[in-house]
Amino acid sequence: MNSQTQQMLDKALKGPEFEKRVRRRNAKDTASKVGISVGGVGVILSVLLIMFFLLYVVLPLFAPATVNKSVEYAIPGSDSETTLYYGMDEYQETALRFTQSGRLFGFDVVQGKLISEDVLPLQGQTITSFSVISEMDNLLAFGLSSGGVLVAKYEYSVSYPNNVRTITPKVLFPFGEEAVELGTAEIEKLAVRKMDSDLVFAYAEKGSHEIKIKQFSTIESMLSDTISLEEGYSGSFVSEQASDWLLLDGSMRNLYVIDKTGQTSYYDIRDIESPQKVEQVQMLQGDETLSTVRFLLGDYSLMLGTSKGRVIQWFPVRGENNEFSLHEIRSFNVGDAPIHTIAIEKARKGFATTDASGAFNLFHSTAERHLNQTQVSDSSTGFVVISNRANGALVETGDGQLVHYLIDNQHPDVSVSSLWGKVWYEGYTEPDYVWQSSSASSDFEPKFSMMPLTFGTIKAALYSMLFAVPIAVLAAIFTAFFMDKKTRQWVKPSVELIEALPTVILGFLAGLWLAPYMEANLPGFFALLLVVPIGILAFGFAWSRLPEHIRLLVPVGKRAVLMIPVVFFLGWFALQLSAPIEDALFNGDMRHWLTFSAGIDFDQRNAMVIGFAMGFALIPTIFSVTEDAIYNVPSYLVNGSLALGASGWQTLVGVVLPTASPGIFSAIMLGFGRGVGETMIVLMASGNTPLMEVNLFEGLRTLSANLAVEMPEAAVDSSHYRVLFLSGLVLFIFTFIFNTLAEVVRQRMRRKYGSL
């Protein structure tokens, strides 16, 4: 090195200018390092914040109920009388007490002061039996010693004297103050139901084993608001057992005669004139006896309180021969003391119990949750009533006190077992996984099983991957390893351009065009699976038999272009075979054959449509990442393998694919992750039926599609709303698990094949 060069080198590497460049470079390196670190930490924090927000919304679902004592005072009116019923207004300000003697006590719930007192128009008769006609409509029936029944309805009038809201309880008599005469002897047991214009009485007179049934039609006067009753059908049967409880369900079809030992006779009274005994069932075992019986909300399920502190739920189940029979569904262990009273919620399938130990317990039947236990007193507890909004309760104690409780019980209808386990819902023949979040009926039993949605998510992703992975991976292998560079430069961007196509367009085409076309040409789509691969192999074999000077006219790297018209022709030919195959093998209608001969249900918008449509959307993602992984395998590995005498295929299988396997696996997992989270294609082309069926020809509903469909309709902070957020959390967990698994496998593959 001459002196001039040395001087120039020293000048470049020393002095103020050099130090300034070094400081500037160090500053850039530091800024880049800090920026990347801050960005990475920010991404992690953002993901964690999303997860914490989802948890914040979801966790209240599993919180227990809280019961706080508001006030305690002496039972309004005479505590020597037996309470038949309490009615409480929705604001928990005013309540009404009905007693065995027919007296009515209206009182202030907060202070316990009497605000009104009245007597039922019994006309000198005594109350010998009592029945709740409708909890929702506040209708009550009182059986009298004269053989009549007095029907009463309580309600609350709201007034604003001096701009202060005042709620006053009052009792009306929709069919007049005269009792409905059913017989001449004392009515000992009574069950009454009203539906539309029909009113049905089932009753037993004192000293008689005969159960009588009478149906009345309500007739509204055109000149006044009065309603009269016109007697219609009547019937009777002799009960072979004691009738300690007589219960008529809400449909007015099923009548139950129950004694204290649990012996139950189930009658079908659809034909009132000729009641039919369906079966006789023993509901208890051993020396356990019944202490109370009543219907759950909806008047379908029987709730039985026993002497050993259990509550058992039974309801009729339709059998294989379209015949109903009573089944024990679930039981709740309250304690060791006998159950005194069961109260039901008026808007949910929840109930409360009081027992001889002085405890007050809250439960939800469908979710099988014991929500709260509160010790009311040291003595026994008696009658209990839950407020209309299930946010309060009145509980009588054995020492003549009435306790008012405030209840915070927002989400009793959700539990781990109801979300992920089979649940036996009312009207179902067996326990099942069901998603049905809403209904027009007020006594609807919410069905929040996450299993059909989770199953549908995985099903959609797997079927689409079965279509996308072979095509995308094999196409990427050929493009990266066999195709010449010039052809690759327009093939790869063309495939990646498909990814820019909005999924809503794919969903629209799949739902409105592909689904009906596939239904009309179903054999042709199955023929594609055979005709296209076999046709491609046949074309390749025919090409290899052509003279060499003809084959050399097309360079090796461009020969894939020749397959484009071949593939289109083979696809068209396979679809043209649809009608001949259908006529030859399926009597001209494959869908009919699948449904009625093979016993396979078929929906037009099914998992097969999803497999084609969503698989098409996943191909660009899997293709692009796989192609990059294979193309970036170091050339010296490929050249070394070829130089040692390996063929192209041997080099691909033995060197290229193992080296690129981490990237290929990542591509597949990325495609699967996108398939799990895809919304619009599934929403528009799947039929949105939440089924637990592997059947390729049935629809499905995914977690993401369910969020898109139901979130706009969900009331904020409701159980439905929070369960939908739980769906988002499940998707989040899915993504985390699959990404973590993909990274772990990728790192292991990298370590294993990194020495190549």
Side-chain angles (χ1 to χ4, degrees):
M1 181 183 301
N2 56 37
S3 58
Q4 186 177 2
T5 304
Q6 183 65 44
Q7 289 176 359
M8 293 179 64
L9 186 60
D10 291 341
K11 183 178 179 181
L13 299 178
K14 295 179 181 179
E17 289 294 330
F18 174 73
E19 293 176 356
K20 185 177 180 181
R21 287 198 303 272
V22 171
R23 286 195 299 271
R24 187 163 52 247
R25 184 168 60 248
N26 291 339
K28 290 180 179 179
D29 292 343
T30 303
S32 300
K33 181 179 179 180
V34 171
I36 293 172
S37 300
V38 170
V41 171
V43 170
I44 295 173
L45 288 176
S46 299
V47 172
L48 289 175
L49 284 174
I50 293 173
M51 185 184 71
F52 286 135
F53 175 72
L54 292 174
L55 286 172
Y56 170 78
V57 177
V58 168
L59 285 179
L61 286 172
F62 307 101
T66 59
V67 177
N68 297 311
K69 185 176 180 180
S70 172
V71 66
E72 180 178 351
Y73 41 79
I75 295 176
S78 174
D79 60 357
S80 62
E81 298 188 45
T82 303
T83 299
L84 291 179
Y85 195 77
Y86 279 99
M88 185 163 46
D89 74 83
E90 62 178 332
Y91 303 105
Q92 300 186 70
E93 296 179 5
T94 307
L96 186 62
R97 179 187 178 214
F98 297 82
T99 67
Q100 184 74 41
S101 66
R103 299 177 68 187
L104 313 175
F105 300 98
F107 60 94
D108 184 288
V109 171
V110 177
Q111 300 178 3
K113 295 190 306 181
L114 280 175
I115 57 177
S116 66
E117 188 173 352
D118 204 351
V119 180
L120 292 172
L122 300 179
Q123 308 296 331
Q125 304 300 315
T126 59
I127 297 175
T128 56
S129 57
F130 172 74
S131 176
V132 179
I133 301 176
S134 172
E135 294 270 5
M136 303 299 296
D137 297 329
N138 302 335
L139 277 174
L140 310 175
F142 302 89
L144 305 179
S145 57
S146 64
V149 174
L150 179 65
V151 178
K153 178 178 182 177
Y154 67 92
E155 58 184 38
Y156 304 90
S157 60
V158 181
S159 58
Y160 294 87
N162 300 321
N163 291 325
V164 177
R165 184 179 63 192
T166 303
I167 301 176
T168 306
K170 60 180 180 180
V171 177
L172 306 176
F173 303 95
F175 309 119
E177 296 188 3
E178 297 292 329
V180 180
E181 296 299 331
L182 300 180
T184 57
E186 174 183 317
I187 294 181
E188 189 174 41
K189 301 298 176 185
L190 177 66
V192 188
R193 282 285 178 263
K194 184 179 184 302
M195 180 185 291
D196 299 328
S197 61
D198 287 339
L199 188 66
V200 175
F201 297 86
Y203 61 97
E205 296 175 331
K206 187 175 182 179
S208 173
H209 290 282
E210 185 179 20
I211 307 297
K212 298 180 179 180
I213 309 166
K214 288 189 177 182
Q215 177 262 337
F216 291 82
S217 298
T218 59
I219 301 174
E220 187 173 356
S221 173
M222 297 180 63
L223 302 177
S224 65
D225 293 333
T226 59
I227 299 176
S228 60
L229 295 177
E230 182 179 278
E231 186 172 348
Y233 301 106
S234 63
S236 65
F237 60 88
V238 176
S239 174
E240 301 172 356
Q241 65 180 77
S243 54
D244 294 308
W245 289 275
L246 193 63
L247 294 104
L248 179 61
D249 78 346
S251 67
M252 302 193 300
R253 294 181 176 183
N254 302 319
L255 179 65
Y256 306 100
V257 181
I258 307 174
D259 65 20
K260 290 184 178 180
T261 66
Q263 193 76 16
T264 301
S265 295
Y266 169 23
Y267 291 87
D268 183 346
I269 62 167
R270 283 177 292 182
D271 182 359
I272 292 178
E273 295 179 323
S274 179
Q276 300 295 320
K277 187 174 182 178
V278 178
E279 63 174 344
Q280 189 164 357
V281 181
Q282 177 54 254
M283 293 184 167
L284 302 179
Q285 297 178 354
D287 59 349
E288 195 172 25
T289 59
L290 287 178
S291 55
T292 184
V293 180
R294 71 157 303 156
F295 280 113
L296 194 64
L297 176 70
D299 300 324
Y300 188 78
S301 291
L302 291 167
M303 306 303 291
L304 314 176
T306 75
S307 60
K308 292 189 175 181
R310 290 200 306 149
V311 176
I312 312 169
Q313 182 179 0
W314 288 68
F315 59 66
V317 175
R318 189 190 300 270
E320 294 181 357
N321 298 323
N322 204 30
E323 296 178 351
F324 285 89
S325 60
L326 283 169
H327 285 255
E328 180 179 343
I329 305 304
R330 54 184 69 93
S331 65
F332 304 86
N333 292 316
V334 181
D336 298 325
I339 304 297
H340 278 176
T341 309
I342 298 175
I344 67 166
E345 295 186 15
K346 296 186 178 181
R348 302 180 299 203
K349 298 292 184 178
F351 64 95
T353 65
T354 58
D355 56 38
S357 69
F360 168 67
N361 288 270
L362 280 176
F363 295 88
H364 191 275
S365 62
T366 308
E368 298 187 58
R369 290 185 67 181
H370 184 186
L371 297 154
N372 184 273
Q373 181 174 18
T374 300
Q375 193 67 32
V376 180
S377 71
D378 296 331
S379 61
S380 65
T381 48
F383 199 90
V384 58
V385 64
I386 302 176
S387 65
N388 291 1
R389 299 180 182 180
N391 57 352
L394 290 174
V395 184
E396 283 188 355
T397 67
D399 52 5
Q401 296 293 107
L402 187 65
V403 186
H404 177 225
Y405 286 101
L406 296 177
I407 300 173
D408 184 9
N409 187 21
Q410 298 295 323
H411 311 291
D413 44 359
V414 177
S415 65
V416 174
S417 61
S418 66
L419 287 171
W420 301 106
K422 286 187 176 182
V423 179
W424 203 335
Y425 300 102
E426 290 182 349
Y428 282 64
T429 58
E430 61 184 5
D432 202 357
Y433 301 109
V434 182
W435 174 273
Q436 186 183 357
S437 58
S438 60
S439 169
S441 173
S442 60
D443 58 0
F444 171 69
E445 195 171 17
K447 303 168 182 65
F448 289 134
S449 177
M450 298 291 291
M451 287 298 292
L453 306 180
T454 306
F455 181 86
T457 301
I458 297 174
K459 178 181 177 180
L462 286 178
Y463 280 131
S464 60
M465 292 292 283
L466 286 175
F467 176 76
V469 169
I471 296 175
V473 172
L474 293 176
I477 290 172
F478 186 87
T479 304
F481 191 73
F482 293 106
M483 188 173 288
D484 66 291
K485 186 175 181 180
K486 187 175 180 181
T487 308
R488 175 183 177 272
Q489 286 177 348
W490 64 266
V491 169
K492 188 172 186 290
S494 299
V495 176
E496 291 175 342
L497 191 63
I498 300 174
E499 196 166 11
L501 189 66
T503 55
V504 67
I505 301 299
L506 293 176
F508 176 80
L509 292 174
L512 297 184
W513 171 76
L514 181 61
Y517 185 79
M518 184 179 291
E519 180 184 21
N521 298 275
L522 198 56
F525 277 87
F526 282 100
L528 283 171
L529 303 177
L530 294 175
V531 172
V532 174
I534 293 174
I536 290 174
L537 292 175
F539 178 80
F541 178 78
W543 176 264
S544 67
R545 296 304 177 186
L546 291 175
E548 185 175 359
H549 69 278
I550 296 178
R551 288 188 282 114
L552 292 178
L553 293 175
V554 183
V556 175
K558 296 185 185 304
R559 289 178 182 175
V561 178
L562 296 175
M563 295 304 302
I564 295 177
V566 174
V567 170
F568 276 107
F569 171 77
L570 292 172
W572 172 84
F573 179 71
L575 292 175
Q576 296 305 307
L577 293 176
S578 180
I581 294 174
E582 199 165 32
D583 292 335
L585 301 179
F586 305 109
N587 297 322
D589 191 339
M590 185 176 180
R591 175 173 180 174
H592 184 275
W593 181 88
L594 285 171
T595 303
F596 295 99
S597 298
I600 300 174
D601 293 331
F602 185 94
D603 296 327
Q604 184 185 84
R605 299 185 181 187
N606 52 48
M608 190 173 177
V609 176
I610 296 298
F612 276 90
M614 195 158 76
F616 182 78
L618 299 183
I619 284 175
T621 300
I622 302 172
F623 170 85
S624 181
V625 178
T626 301
E627 203 275 345
D628 286 338
I630 295 173
Y631 189 77
N632 290 324
V633 171
S635 58
Y636 63 85
L637 294 178
V638 177
N639 294 335
S641 175
L642 294 173
L644 292 173
S647 66
W649 280 104
Q650 290 173 327
T651 300
L652 174 69
V653 174
V655 176
V656 175
L657 292 182
T659 306
S661 57
I664 297 174
F665 183 80
S666 296
I668 294 173
M669 295 307 294
L670 280 172
F672 189 78
R674 183 183 172 186
V676 166
E678 177 56 47
T679 302
M680 294 311 299
I681 295 176
V682 182
L683 180 64
M684 302 177 73
S686 68
N688 283 312
T689 48
L691 302 174
M692 288 277 292
E693 297 290 342
V694 183
N695 184 0
L696 183 66
F697 303 110
E698 284 192 320
L700 51 90
R701 179 182 289 194
T702 65
L703 290 164
S704 57
N706 190 63
L707 281 169
V709 169
E710 300 199 4
M711 185 57 80
E713 302 175 357
V716 176
D717 292 337
S718 64
S719 295
H720 182 205
Y721 176 85
R722 296 186 188 278
V723 169
L724 291 177
F725 270 85
L726 178 61
S727 301
L729 182 61
V730 171
L731 276 174
F732 186 93
I733 293 172
F734 269 7
T735 304
F736 177 79
I737 290 174
F738 287 126
N739 287 345
T740 302
L741 178 64
E743 185 62 21
V744 169
V745 174
R746 190 176 68 84
Q747 292 295 342
R748 289 187 177 182
M749 287 182 172
R750 176 174 289 179
R751 287 195 299 269
K752 181 176 180 180
Y753 299 112
S755 59
L756 292 177

